[in-house]
Amino acid sequence: MRIELLYWDGCPSYPEAKATLEEVLAGRGIESPIEMREVRTDEEAQTLGFPGSPTIRIDGRDVDPAGADGRPALNCRIYHLPDGRVSPVPTREQLEAAVS
């Protein structure tokens, strides 16, 4: 399983997303490493299809397909939660569904 966490250093949310992802992986007994990739330029954001930080992809698939089509840019990402609220990180449930 390939696990990527793409982030922009200007966004304070990616450490929280990484910690939650690590908890989910440990809980599932998944030992695949998390590939951390810093996105540094707008050109990289365009090339990678980076809709904001943090972006987590499992085997190339975004954990939040609805937000994956956001305009590529160096900014913080917004995740839309099922109850209508927004969050700067994906939910544990989104991460669990993505790795199952």
Side-chain angles (χ1 to χ4, degrees):
M1 177 179 296
R2 183 173 185 202
I3 303 165
E4 301 170 280
L5 193 155
L6 291 78
Y7 68 98
W8 168 54
D9 196 46
C11 182
S13 302
Y14 76 88
E16 178 184 349
K18 182 180 184 223
T20 304
L21 178 58
E22 289 171 337
E23 291 171 10
V24 167
L25 295 174
R28 299 263 178 155
I30 298 170
E31 296 181 7
S32 299
I34 298 171
E35 298 175 29
M36 298 293 294
R37 180 158 189 182
E38 181 179 0
V39 181
R40 295 183 174 104
T41 66
D42 286 319
E43 292 78 24
E44 278 185 296
Q46 290 289 330
T47 300
L48 295 169
F50 177 69
S53 179
T55 291
I56 299 172
R57 295 178 181 153
I58 308 296
D59 291 332
R61 297 181 64 205
D62 198 293
V63 299
D64 178 26
D69 294 331
R71 185 177 66 78
L74 293 180
N75 59 22
C76 292
R77 185 167 171 173
I78 295 174
Y79 289 85
H80 296 273
L81 306 181
D83 64 6
R85 294 178 301 136
V86 295
S87 171
V89 295
T91 64
R92 177 178 300 277
E93 292 78 16
Q94 285 174 303
L95 296 174
E96 289 175 348
V99 299
S100 61

